Amino acid sequence: MTPHESAMQRRRELGQAIVRLRKGRKLSQERLALNAGIDRSYMGRVERGERSVSLDKLWAICDALHISLAELAIEAETVHLGQDPRD
């Protein structure tokens, strides 16, 4: 896998982690985006891994989810490893 492909894969995994955390809190994508001060369509692209997201926006997403950046990173790593936290 090339570095570019690896970065794309990690973006998808981060997006999947955000979706898991958002759904676990029973938040719509629109509500999460609003709470984070991010456009809903931008949030959709982040969740699909189509968008590289700045650290400032990651902090805003984490604040809206009431988690730390470290917790988001752990969730993304769980997705990367193919683990389901409900197991």
Side-chain angles (χ1 to χ4, degrees):
M1 183 177 299
T2 69
H4 177 71
E5 291 168 333
S6 179
M8 288 175 44
Q9 179 63 30
R10 288 299 189 146
R11 279 196 305 270
R12 283 190 293 272
E13 292 162 357
L14 177 66
Q16 289 172 15
I18 292 169
V19 170
R20 278 187 185 186
L21 292 163
R22 174 176 61 75
K23 287 183 175 181
R25 286 157 178 74
K26 299 187 182 345
L27 292 172
S28 68
Q29 186 182 79
E30 185 174 7
R31 174 52 58 189
L32 176 59
L34 183 65
N35 291 353
I38 296 171
D39 182 75
R40 196 225 34 94
S41 62
Y42 180 90
M43 181 65 73
R45 289 190 302 274
V46 169
E47 287 188 352
R48 291 188 301 275
E50 297 169 357
R51 194 67 204 180
S52 229
V53 60
S54 72
L55 190 53
D56 290 343
K57 289 211 182 346
L58 281 177
W59 277 324
I61 292 167
C62 288
D63 288 347
L65 290 169
H66 305 288
I67 62 170
S68 69
L69 190 57
E71 289 171 293
L72 178 56
I74 289 167
E75 184 69 20
E77 193 64 18
T78 299
V79 171
H80 176 71
L81 296 173
Q83 298 171 346
D84 189 332
R86 295 167 290 191
D87 289 342

